[in-house]
Amino acid sequence: MRVLTCLTEDHNLLLVGLAAVICVVGSVVLNRLFEKNRRSSAKARLPWLFLGAMAGGATIWCTHFVAMLAYRPGVEVAYAPVLTGLSLLVAMVGCGLAIGIGSLRGRYMAPVGGVVFGLGVTAMHYTGMSAFTAQALVIWSAPYIVASIVAAAVGGAAAFHIATDD
């Protein structure tokens, strides 16, 4: 499968491992901030929401950017600074919306927040990917794009559901 060979042959596996560690540690932090936000009074939620948006967004972005730095396509690459910065903002806003929605009372609010989280991750990812520049032809695969969006939305919904399963 092209995805696996791309990962094993075209990436620095040490940096991929670092991205995975960032992802796991950040996920634990985000889960705790999400839980703190859910259990707080309405008055106390805003600081937890802000911290969750910043920490979660930074985790998503750092995981993505370290993995992008791991990519070795065989040509010189660069990253457009404005789009790279915008991708960080997209991650933070998406995370804030997801935590805010996922913390609302209601049977389906956590999974809906998770879907928003997954869509925020994909929005950050494709914004960050549009910042990638190289003297090469980049070909996008529509089925892979659709699969990535669906997987992120379903995975996000499942993660938020599990995180709120009391």
Side-chain angles (χ1 to χ4, degrees):
M1 180 193 257
R2 175 68 186 128
V3 173
L4 292 178
T5 58
C6 177
L7 181 63
T8 59
E9 296 174 10
D10 298 337
H11 285 76
N12 175 323
L13 293 181
L14 194 58
L15 287 176
V16 171
L18 176 60
V21 169
I22 292 168
C23 182
V24 169
V25 171
S27 295
V28 170
V29 170
L30 178 58
N31 190 321
R32 290 185 179 173
L33 290 170
F34 176 58
E35 184 65 23
K36 198 74 160 149
N37 186 64
R38 287 184 62 243
R39 301 228 184 263
S40 295
S41 67
K43 192 176 194 178
R45 282 188 176 186
L46 190 58
W48 294 116
L49 177 66
F50 177 78
L51 287 173
M54 296 302 107
T59 294
I60 294 163
W61 186 85
C62 287
T63 299
H64 179 264
F65 200 71
V66 169
M68 288 292 297
L69 292 174
Y71 182 52
R72 303 284 187 238
V75 297
E76 192 171 318
V77 300
Y79 301 91
V82 172
L83 285 173
T84 300
L86 180 62
S87 69
L88 174 59
L89 181 63
V90 167
M92 290 177 172
V93 169
C95 224
L97 289 171
I99 292 168
I101 293 168
S103 295
L104 294 173
R105 304 291 180 233
R107 183 176 183 178
Y108 299 108
M109 297 318 296
V112 169
V115 168
V116 171
F117 181 82
L119 295 176
V121 170
T122 57
M124 179 285 313
H125 172 75
Y126 289 110
T127 303
M129 291 300 297
S130 66
F132 178 82
T133 60
Q135 293 289 340
L137 177 64
V138 177
I139 300 171
W140 293 90
S141 168
Y144 280 171
I145 292 170
V146 170
S148 73
I149 294 169
V150 170
V154 170
F160 271 50
H161 175 71
I162 291 167
T164 59
D165 193 24
D166 296 322

